[in-house]
């Protein structure tokens, strides 16, 4: 069973990686032209943004449950004889959080799958692919609400029985084992089909072999999401059949949210990777360099002033002053030529004076 520290780590690190992936996705799309296939933002981008918001919420639930309630803890240690009431409350609140977590993850996993499918439709064309993609979109769209309401009303209208005792749940509710197993099996099948669906068309793309291998590598990373969903299925099959009689309910709930978060996090990252191509283009590198230069010249807003004398032999002394101009600060160098003439350059100007005796300049 994962510990409290590992629950907090997964609940904080994976959503942050999801956030980074989505931000890079939108940065990559920002410089693309509007209209047609190159349209800047499309349905797939907004769907992945929704998935990110839910992923951040799931991470917050995990952290809150680990710090405040029972994620990462054992029921035997919490429900001691000295604190039996607090132990029951912790277990009940942890089960409530797990139910909310399970309901939210249905939508984020479904939205991520839809995002990938709509992304495919913007790249691949043809009658066969059009039929396959629309069929998968319909399947994923239908699975989300069906699963959501089955989980929510598996005890009928008595939703509070979901966090009641295992005996009450077993006697009055639908089998959690069958529901969880069915959901995970459908999840693994749809993930696998979505990963494999574009491979035939990728093989027929006219591009250099190296670039094709890179694309294959990106799509293979998406297989990690399939591995994560398969791992969750194994965990569900292992823990759900015995959860009615399992004395460690906190450990049971910890396993559920931990492995579910792994799948959610990896799925969002895998869905964003194929959109990172523009980040490695020369035009993007030039825009990034220009943006960094603009940023470096605009912050911080200090104005540095320099003065140089062409003929140092004519200079008897010089000094540097700190000059304030409203909210701005600058450095001003003043030179005294022959001990009696002062060369001063006003703030906000570029001034050059040259004669046979002296020469000074100021650059802002």
């Amino acid at each position: 069973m994962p510990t409290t520290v590992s629950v907090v780590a997964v609940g904080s690190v994976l959503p942050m990686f999801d956030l980074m992936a989505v931000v890079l996705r939108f940065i990559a799309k920002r410089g693309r032209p509007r209209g047609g296939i190159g349209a800047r933002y499309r349905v797939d981008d907004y769907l992945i943004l929704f998935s990110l918001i839910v992923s951040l919420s799931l991470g917050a639930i995990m952290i809150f449950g680990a710090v405040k309630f029972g994620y990462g803890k054992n029921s035997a240690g919490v429900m001691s004889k000295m604190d039996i009431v607090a132990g029951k409350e912790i277990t009940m609140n942890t089960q409530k959080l797990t139910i909310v977590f399970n309901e939210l993850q249905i939508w984020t996993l479904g939205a991520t799958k839809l995002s990938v499918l709509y992304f495919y439709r913007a790249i691949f064309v043809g009658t066969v692919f059009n039929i396959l993609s629309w069929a998968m979109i319909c399947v994923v769209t239908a699975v989300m609400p069906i699963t959501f309401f089955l989980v929510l009303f598996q005890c009928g209208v008595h939703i509070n029985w979901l966090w009641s005792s295992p005996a009450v749940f077993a006697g009055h509710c639908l089998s959690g084992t069958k529901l969880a197993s069915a959901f995970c099996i459908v999840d693994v099948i749809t993930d696998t089909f979505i990963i494999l669906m574009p491979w035939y068309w990728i093989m027929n793309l006219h591009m250099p072999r190296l670039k094709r291998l890179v694309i294959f590598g990106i799509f293979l990373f998406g297989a990690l999401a399939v591995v994560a969903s398969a791992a969750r299925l194994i965990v569900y099959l292992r823990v759900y059949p015995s959860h009615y009689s399992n004395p460690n309910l906190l450990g049971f709930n910890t396993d559920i949210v931990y492995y579910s978060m792994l799948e959610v996090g990896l799925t969002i990252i895998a869905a964003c990777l194929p959109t990172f191509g523009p980040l490695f283009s020369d035009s993007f590198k030039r825009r990034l360099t220009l943006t960094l230069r603009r940023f470096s010249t605009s912050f911080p807003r200090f104005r540095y002033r320099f003065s140089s004398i062409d003929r140092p032999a004519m200079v008897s002394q010089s000094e540097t002053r700190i000059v304030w101009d409203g909210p701005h600060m600058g450095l001003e160098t003043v030179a005294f030529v022959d001990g009696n003439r002062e060369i001063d350059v006003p703030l906000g100007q570029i001034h050059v004076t040259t004669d046979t005796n002296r020469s000074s300049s100021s650059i802002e």
Side-chain angles (χ1 to χ4, degrees):
M1 185 195 75
T3 62
T4 301
V5 175
S6 60
V7 172
V8 173
V10 169
S12 56
V13 173
L14 273 180
M16 288 300 103
F17 276 115
D18 291 343
L19 177 62
M20 292 171 57
V22 174
V23 169
L24 290 175
R25 178 192 185 111
F26 276 81
I27 290 176
K29 293 289 188 73
R30 182 177 176 83
R32 301 185 67 176
R34 296 179 182 274
I37 294 179
R40 185 172 292 179
Y41 302 127
R42 298 187 297 263
V43 177
D44 55 303
D45 300 309
Y46 297 113
L47 284 169
I48 205 66
L49 184 62
F50 170 78
S51 297
L52 171 65
I53 295 172
V54 180
S55 174
L56 294 173
S57 303
L58 296 179
I61 290 174
M62 289 184 68
I63 296 172
F64 181 74
V67 174
K68 187 70 175 178
F69 298 121
Y71 288 148
K73 302 179 179 65
N74 293 310
S75 297
V78 174
M79 299 178 64
S80 62
K81 294 181 180 179
M82 299 295 295
D83 198 16
I84 186 68
V85 176
K88 289 182 178 179
E89 292 178 353
I90 289 175
T91 302
M92 181 181 297
N93 289 325
T94 303
Q95 288 179 293
K96 291 179 181 179
L97 282 180
T98 304
I99 294 168
V100 174
F101 187 98
N102 283 334
E103 293 288 62
L104 288 177
Q105 70 161 327
I106 295 170
W107 297 105
T108 186
L109 290 173
T112 305
K113 291 180 177 66
L114 290 176
S115 175
V116 174
L117 290 169
Y118 277 105
F119 174 75
Y120 286 170
R121 289 183 55 80
I123 299 175
F124 306 105
V125 295
T127 304
V128 176
F129 190 87
N130 191 47
I131 294 174
L132 286 176
S133 59
W134 275 122
M136 285 303 301
I137 288 173
C138 293
V139 169
V140 174
T141 304
V143 166
M144 285 190 294
I146 291 174
T147 307
F148 177 83
F149 289 112
L150 278 177
V151 173
L152 183 63
F153 296 110
Q154 59 182 308
C155 297
V157 295
H158 305 284
I159 298 177
N160 60 308
W161 286 355
L162 292 173
W163 54 82
S164 61
S165 65
V168 173
F169 187 91
H172 300 86
C173 304
L174 297 176
S175 173
T177 303
K178 294 179 179 180
L179 280 179
S181 300
F183 172 69
C184 288
I185 291 173
V186 172
D187 190 40
V188 172
I189 293 174
T190 53
D191 283 347
T192 304
F193 191 84
I194 290 173
I195 291 296
L196 296 178
M197 190 168 64
W199 281 46
Y200 172 80
W201 286 269
I202 293 176
M203 289 291 295
N204 288 277
L205 290 176
H206 297 286
M207 62 176 60
R209 181 177 298 178
L210 179 60
K211 189 173 183 179
R212 187 178 299 170
L213 290 175
V214 171
I215 294 176
F216 271 122
I218 292 173
F219 279 92
L220 281 176
F221 183 87
L224 289 179
V226 180
V227 173
S229 60
R232 187 178 63 155
L233 173 60
I234 295 173
V235 171
Y236 274 28
L237 293 176
R238 180 177 62 86
V239 300
Y240 255 102
S242 61
H243 81 284
Y244 297 121
S245 58
N246 190 352
N248 192 6
L249 289 176
L250 295 180
F252 164 77
N253 286 279
T254 301
D255 287 335
I256 297 302
V257 299
Y258 184 85
Y259 290 99
S260 297
M261 189 68 224
L262 286 177
E263 181 184 0
V264 170
L266 291 175
T267 302
I268 293 176
I269 295 173
C272 292
L273 280 179
T275 66
F276 289 173
L279 297 178
F280 302 97
S281 63
D282 293 335
S283 61
F284 178 81
K285 293 177 183 177
R286 289 194 294 268
R287 290 196 304 271
L288 179 62
T289 302
L290 181 61
T291 301
L292 292 177
R293 286 178 179 174
R294 289 176 178 174
F295 179 79
S296 63
T297 57
S298 62
F299 181 83
R301 294 190 176 184
F302 295 120
R303 294 185 294 174
Y304 300 96
R305 308 178 61 80
F306 305 94
S307 179
S308 62
I309 305 299
D310 292 342
R311 299 181 63 187
M314 303 297 295
V315 178
S316 59
Q317 61 179 339
S318 63
E319 65 181 17
T320 301
R321 304 169 182 171
I322 299 176
V323 181
W324 294 90
D325 180 22
H328 306 295
M329 182 186 76
L331 298 177
E332 184 180 69
T333 299
V334 178
F336 296 89
V337 181
D338 295 331
N340 55 15
R341 296 192 61 184
E342 177 177 319
I343 301 172
D344 192 5
V345 181
L347 284 170
Q349 298 181 9
I350 298 176
H351 182 71
V352 177
T353 303
T354 304
D355 57 26
T356 58
N357 295 322
R358 66 184 183 275
S359 175
S360 66
S361 61
S362 177
I363 300 174
E364 183 175 359

